Amino acid sequence: MKAFKIIEWLGDRIRVIDQTRLPHEEVFLELDDYREVADAIRGLRIRGAPDIGVAAAYGLALGAQTIKTDSKDEFLAELRPVGETLSSSRPTAVNLFWALERMDQVAQSGEEVSQIKADLLAEAQRIEAENDEANRRLSEFGAELIQDGFTVLTHCNAGSLATAAYGTALGVIKRASEQGKRVMVYATETRPLLQGARLTTWELLKENIPVTLITDNMAGHFMNKGEIDGVIVGADRIAANGDVANKIGTYTLAVLAMENAIPFYVAAPVSTIDLSLSSGVEIPIEERSPDEVTSIQGLRVAPEGVRAANPAFDVTPHNYVSAIITEKGVIREPYVERLGKLAIENNTG
Ligand code: MRU
């Protein structure tokens, strides 16, 4: 689906597609202020864990360009609120903090301010390029798990839009399809914000991959009828023990998959693994406005005054996860040892 770049650096600004306007309109936003980038992430115009990480890195590079001092200390002092604004945009996807941490290390280790600014931009571009490479590699590994004729269920959107790259869960499906395997997809609509209905179907139609849209509450029915061969989702954060935070409703799908003896796969780059958290209980879960639940696309569906809850993510315990597909290979239990080893290998190059 690479007709356009999901995030494009234009020299002094970034150009992104507004994901809240899809699939009806392909509207592009040009953002030249880091606060606009943070707002776009908060408002889900830029969304999906890896995409948020890449955008935040560019946001920091943009913020750095506008700082007018030659003193490194002053520069770092002015850069701090830029990082804080970006990191406060959303709490769950660890890729955001991971990317900003990488950017911070570059800023700290430089000497001349002008050089640090150039290095920050180069680092953002490296994060974007490495992310695409990781997506492609994990998709290659994941495609091995998909047999010709498989029907795969996916939730939310973990494709190019969510990654500014090839895609993770959808990358696996795309790669299997490119290999000539006949793959069919069931896409859950993903209430409350309909990333599955609006974005996943849009991407798969563009890729000519057969897709059937279902409402979230139909998944069990189709699993029980034997129509689903596997579930593949992305992730926003994976704890050291393999517990996975992903879009609300993922846990329900994992339980249903186990009940129906269907493999449940999580596809994510190593940058989504957070070894500082021993289990999923510690993962911060974003609570969004109840308006997203009481309304659908701006149309009120619930009575005025009703209380509504809106956790944006849930945690799937690792015992429901058949495998985690990363760019370093397909990881299975015991996750504690294997994820730890993998992240250490990744850091030591
Ligand atoms: O709230 P969103 O749309 O940013 O949530 C996105 C997801 O939950 C994705 O499944 C996850 O970030 C993986 S994207 C490759």
Side-chain angles (χ1 to χ4, degrees):
M1 203 215 36
K2 270 305 181 68
F4 58 83
K5 288 192 78 177
I6 306 299
I7 296 182
E8 190 170 10
W9 174 254
L10 297 178
D12 57 354
R13 60 200 191 282
I14 57 169
R15 180 177 184 263
V16 299
I17 188 161
D18 183 346
Q19 300 198 33
T20 62
R21 306 286 287 271
L22 290 170
H24 307 301
E25 293 173 297
E26 295 182 16
V27 174
F28 290 85
L29 307 170
E30 293 195 0
L31 312 175
D32 62 3
D33 186 314
Y34 72 91
R35 285 164 287 233
E36 292 174 343
V37 177
D39 280 348
I41 294 172
R42 199 173 290 114
L44 269 61
R45 293 185 286 284
I46 297 171
R47 56 149 292 283
D51 188 33
I52 293 171
V54 173
Y58 278 119
L60 197 96
L62 275 175
Q65 309 290 347
T66 60
I67 298 174
K68 290 182 180 41
T69 176
D70 289 332
S71 146
K72 181 180 169 186
D73 285 348
E74 283 174 22
F75 173 79
L76 290 180
E78 287 190 46
L79 194 61
R80 200 166 305 121
V82 175
E84 286 165 1
T85 300
L86 289 161
S87 69
S88 67
S89 58
R90 292 191 80 189
T92 303
V94 75
N95 310 63
L96 171 67
F97 310 101
W98 170 87
L100 289 172
E101 174 61 32
R102 268 182 66 160
M103 297 294 279
D104 187 53
Q105 279 173 16
V106 167
Q108 301 288 344
S109 63
E111 302 282 339
E112 299 282 321
V113 168
S114 59
Q115 188 57 46
I116 297 176
K117 289 179 181 175
D119 290 348
L120 284 171
L121 173 58
E123 186 68 3
Q125 289 170 324
R126 208 163 16 247
I127 288 171
E128 181 187 4
E130 285 175 18
N131 177 50
D132 189 51
E133 180 64 25
N135 278 208
R136 287 176 190 278
R137 277 177 198 245
L138 73 84
S139 297
E140 195 71 42
F141 285 122
E144 296 295 312
L145 301 168
I146 306 220
Q147 291 173 29
D148 184 29
F150 260 24
T151 298
V152 177
L153 183 142
T154 190
H155 187 54
C156 194
N157 169 265
S160 292
L161 290 166
T163 55
Y166 186 73
T168 55
L170 288 194
V172 170
I173 292 166
K174 266 161 65 173
R175 187 67 198 119
S177 169
E178 283 166 8
Q179 290 170 344
K181 294 172 187 164
R182 286 160 301 155
V183 192
M184 308 249 288
V185 179
Y186 275 88
T188 50
E189 67 175 351
T190 319
R191 271 285 281 151
L193 295 178
L194 304 172
Q195 289 90 333
R198 296 186 301 105
L199 308 177
T200 294
T201 57
W202 183 78
E203 281 198 34
L204 290 172
L205 289 174
K206 279 190 186 277
E207 299 286 346
N208 288 320
I209 296 174
V211 56
T212 303
L213 174 64
I214 60 172
T215 60
D216 298 326
N217 51 1
M218 294 176 188
H221 168 77
F222 286 110
M223 288 189 197
N224 188 243
K225 280 179 67 182
E227 293 191 21
I228 314 282
D229 298 297
V231 178
I232 306 184
V233 296
D236 283 79
R237 199 184 293 226
I238 301 173
N241 69 344
D243 291 353
V244 174
N246 191 50
K247 179 53 58 196
I248 191 76
T250 301
Y251 168 60
T252 316
L253 294 171
V255 174
L256 282 169
M258 182 173 274
E259 172 67 18
N260 289 280
I262 295 166
F264 179 87
Y265 299 120
V266 174
V270 173
S271 55
T272 307
I273 301 168
D274 183 356
L275 291 183
S276 74
L277 304 184
S278 56
S279 85
V281 178
E282 297 167 55
I283 299 176
I285 299 295
E286 178 182 11
E287 185 73 31
R288 294 184 64 86
S289 165
D291 297 348
E292 294 176 352
V293 174
T294 53
S295 298
I296 301 178
Q297 300 271 284
L299 177 70
R300 179 107 197 165
V301 291
E304 292 295 337
V306 71
R307 223 181 356 251
N310 190 12
F313 302 94
D314 59 24
V315 174
T316 299
H318 59 94
N319 55 299
Y320 290 100
V321 179
S322 311
I324 299 174
I325 304 162
T326 77
E327 70 272 31
K328 300 283 175 187
V330 176
I331 315 292
R332 295 180 190 268
E333 294 269 23
Y335 289 116
V336 178
E337 286 103 275
R338 292 184 176 165
L339 289 178
K341 193 162 163 279
L342 179 136
I344 288 162
E345 280 167 10
N346 202 43
N347 286 338
T348 52

